Amino acid sequence: MTVSARIIKKIVFRIPIIVKSPIHIGSGIDDGITDLLVLKNEEGMPFIPATSLAGVLRQHIRNVCTEADADFLFGSRVTEQINQDGDCLYGQSRINIQDTMLERDENGKDSEEQSVRVVDSVAIDDITGVGIDGAKYDYEVVESGVTGMVKMEITERQTDCQQGDVLRLAKVLAGFFITGFQVGAMTSKGYGMIRCRDGNANLYYVFDFSEPNQFENWKQYINTSGKKLPDPNGRDGRNWHKGTENNFIPEDELCLDMYFDLKSSLLIRDYDCASDGIQAAQFQGQGNYVIPGTSLKGVFRHSAKHILQQCMTDEDKVISMLNDLMGYSNGKVGEEAKGQKSRLSIQEVHIDKYAVRAQKHTRNRIDRFTGETIQGALFTEEPIWKLKNQQDPIHIHLNVSRCTLADAGLLLIVMKGLWLGDIAIGGGKAIGRGILCGRKAKMQYKGWRIEIDGGKTLTIQGSRTDNGKEVPCEGEQCMTFMESCVQAIGGENNGR
């Protein structure tokens, strides 16, 4: 059988993106001042390398479609050859992705000047709750609000018609940018979320060479060095396509959305934005107040460890389960390095600046022995407080891949602690800061969709998927399922 490699379609993507949470794509360079620098080009401008985008998109295609679709679109290690039936085996990649420059933010300012900043971080001791000596480090991030243009191109050849539907996969790729996805390092802490700036934008154009004038349009596109595509409103507008949302969630993935009121003040200290005699102010980003994913991840890990220690007698099993869920690293490099990526991902929280107010708070340090104020130890901080007419300003979203019943039960107990104000977040916990009040929650896991409403009376309702149909469930049934998750924590032999 004669096999033709003739090109029959070119699918060109032009996707305007916005960075929704800080991105860190490391360059591997330590300049002696900052421990981890972000990747920049020769002009000092940060960018998302094509390798990072390709890796993330390939994994999403594998999850949403099939392994064969991922190999077909992005290539595989098998050398391209022809089998006995004349079909072309997967080999060469059908997609070409360019580096994405992050040159300007929403205000049109160069990201080099405005949107690369240094974040200070420190490891916290699980027992004492204070910083570990010598464990302070800092790293650069590209700030949220920066924009860019993702450019990709898919080539479909005549033989590909026998292997897969290229247009179907193009539609799926566009959908990823509509819903958003994460790229770079520390994604489990909420970093690296990018999304299409306009959900109604035309995202890709199809040059179908079986249609009249399409080859001429392609030549014009080539002659402009890939800068000019046909007018979406012109006669070729029908060849422009929008993205559609991909809401695929695996059955064993837990999605949990929690909505809270701020019961007391909140302070995630940012020393760089402090001014006018203020030593520390609430962390900010993209014009709003922010609770970084790193802070939330630390709270969840510390609380989860305490809960597991109450449920299990074997400390090794506690550490094993915690590391399996939240990841770990032994801090070494080379052959001695050991670690595991976290299965728990927590998005950073953006708090509308109009839903809260910042208030200066001046305090004195107290001598613990005499009980008197320490001379010259007056300091001022600026935490935030919720305004009376605002509701549920704090929305925490997390998801767990390959989630077990015990994982789900553990996170439900942590949610209960936050809901009741038993677990605080941020700094100043000793003086009552960071206490939340639960208002509502939504959980999706193993076909269950459960909603908790904490209004005047607590109500629970939901549904579950049975043979492809969604069946409404009473609150008691939902409670029974959540209780089964909690009971799975100790296991058969580890419960006290």
Side-chain angles (χ1 to χ4, degrees), residues 57-284:
L57 292 175
R58 180 181 188 129
Q59 184 60 41
H60 283 314
I61 287 290
R62 182 183 289 117
N63 293 338
V64 173
C65 300
T66 65
E67 182 77 28
D69 284 329
D71 287 342
F72 168 72
L73 189 58
F74 291 92
S76 65
R77 294 181 180 179
V78 179
T79 303
E80 194 165 30
Q81 54 184 310
I82 308 302
N83 65 13
Q84 295 178 350
D85 297 327
D87 296 330
C88 183
L89 299 180
Y90 310 133
Q92 180 181 358
S93 172
R94 272 77 172 169
I95 189 169
N96 182 355
I97 304 177
Q98 298 183 26
D99 294 338
T100 301
M101 304 305 302
L102 302 175
E103 297 181 337
R104 295 186 177 278
D105 64 11
E106 289 184 300
N107 298 317
K109 299 176 182 178
D110 288 342
S111 60
E112 180 185 19
E113 300 175 357
Q114 300 292 332
S115 299
V116 175
R117 63 178 175 85
V118 177
V119 177
D120 288 319
S121 188
V122 63
I124 303 297
D125 188 282
D126 286 335
I127 299 175
T128 63
V130 299
I132 299 174
D133 188 26
K136 186 180 182 302
Y137 61 98
D138 54 13
Y139 52 90
E140 282 187 335
V141 297
V142 181
E143 187 57 280
S144 56
V146 174
T147 61
M149 181 70 71
V150 173
K151 300 178 181 179
M152 304 187 297
E153 181 181 304
I154 298 177
T155 300
E156 181 179 359
R157 300 180 184 274
Q158 185 172 352
T159 56
D160 294 338
C161 297
Q162 303 172 21
Q163 295 291 339
D165 186 353
V166 175
L167 289 176
R168 172 178 61 85
L169 295 178
K171 186 176 182 180
V172 173
L173 283 177
F176 294 146
F177 288 89
I178 297 298
T179 56
F181 59 90
Q182 291 172 282
V183 63
M186 295 183 282
T187 55
S188 65
K189 300 175 183 177
Y191 279 22
M193 175 62 73
I194 63 174
R195 185 177 297 156
C196 179
R197 292 202 302 267
D198 183 2
N200 294 317
N202 293 298
L203 301 186
Y204 62 95
Y205 182 86
V206 179
F207 291 95
D208 188 343
F209 298 122
S210 65
E211 296 182 2
N213 301 322
Q214 284 299 294
F215 184 70
E216 294 299 322
N217 289 341
W218 173 253
K219 287 198 301 183
Q220 182 180 4
Y221 169 75
I222 294 297
N223 291 335
T224 59
S225 301
K227 295 180 180 179
K228 186 177 180 181
L229 286 167
D231 182 5
N233 299 316
R235 62 179 182 177
D236 293 310
R238 57 189 170 80
N239 286 355
W240 277 99
H241 298 267
K242 302 179 185 293
T244 55
E245 292 192 10
N246 295 311
N247 295 318
F248 172 79
I249 298 177
E251 188 180 65
D252 63 350
E253 180 167 332
L254 169 70
C255 292
L256 189 58
D257 289 273
M258 298 163 281
Y259 300 83
F260 300 94
D261 267 345
L262 186 55
K263 195 172 182 180
S264 63
S265 60
L266 174 67
L267 181 63
I268 311 292
R269 292 186 178 92
D270 186 351
Y271 297 98
D272 293 334
C273 69
S275 60
D276 299 331
I278 301 173
Q279 280 72 44
Q282 169 59 30
F283 196 89
Q284 298 184 49

Side-chain angles (χ1 to χ4, degrees), residues 216-433:
E216 294 299 322
N217 289 341
W218 173 253
K219 287 198 301 183
Q220 182 180 4
Y221 169 75
I222 294 297
N223 291 335
T224 59
S225 301
K227 295 180 180 179
K228 186 177 180 181
L229 286 167
D231 182 5
N233 299 316
R235 62 179 182 177
D236 293 310
R238 57 189 170 80
N239 286 355
W240 277 99
H241 298 267
K242 302 179 185 293
T244 55
E245 292 192 10
N246 295 311
N247 295 318
F248 172 79
I249 298 177
E251 188 180 65
D252 63 350
E253 180 167 332
L254 169 70
C255 292
L256 189 58
D257 289 273
M258 298 163 281
Y259 300 83
F260 300 94
D261 267 345
L262 186 55
K263 195 172 182 180
S264 63
S265 60
L266 174 67
L267 181 63
I268 311 292
R269 292 186 178 92
D270 186 351
Y271 297 98
D272 293 334
C273 69
S275 60
D276 299 331
I278 301 173
Q279 280 72 44
Q282 169 59 30
F283 196 89
Q284 298 184 49
Q286 203 175 341
N288 291 317
Y289 295 107
V290 173
I291 304 176
T294 51
S295 297
L296 289 172
K297 189 72 174 291
V299 170
F300 272 77
R301 186 181 187 101
H302 177 77
S303 303
K305 182 177 181 180
H306 178 72
I307 293 166
L308 289 175
Q309 288 173 334
Q310 303 303 311
C311 298
M312 299 180 181
T313 57
D314 190 337
E315 185 69 16
D316 290 338
K317 290 186 177 181
V318 170
I319 299 301
S320 176
M321 181 174 176
L322 198 64
N323 288 342
D324 180 60
L325 174 61
M326 300 194 181
Y328 75 96
S329 171
N330 63 358
K332 298 181 180 181
V333 295
E335 295 181 357
E336 297 182 354
K338 292 183 179 180
Q340 177 180 311
K341 180 178 175 62
S342 172
R343 292 187 290 110
L344 168 66
S345 176
I346 302 179
Q347 301 298 320
E348 71 173 16
V349 175
H350 289 256
I351 305 173
D352 191 340
K353 63 181 179 180
Y354 297 110
V356 295
R357 64 179 174 86
Q359 181 68 44
K360 294 181 180 179
H361 187 188
T362 302
R363 301 164 55 203
N364 272 313
R365 288 190 172 89
I366 303 298
D367 189 301
R368 296 184 181 181
F369 294 98
T370 65
E372 298 176 348
T373 58
I374 300 174
Q375 186 176 2
L378 185 71
F379 64 99
T380 301
E381 297 174 323
E382 193 174 51
I384 57 173
W385 301 76
K386 184 185 77 89
L387 296 176
K388 288 184 177 180
N389 60 342
Q390 298 295 324
Q391 293 183 347
D392 315 332
I394 296 178
H395 171 207
I396 299 177
H397 171 80
L398 63 85
N399 64 283
V400 181
S401 60
R402 305 185 309 279
C403 183
T404 66
L405 287 175
D407 294 335
L410 182 60
L411 294 174
L412 284 173
I413 296 178
V414 176
M415 183 188 76
K416 178 184 175 183
L418 290 169
W419 188 286
L420 299 177
D422 296 331
I423 298 174
I425 60 177
K429 299 182 183 70
I431 58 172
R433 286 182 180 154

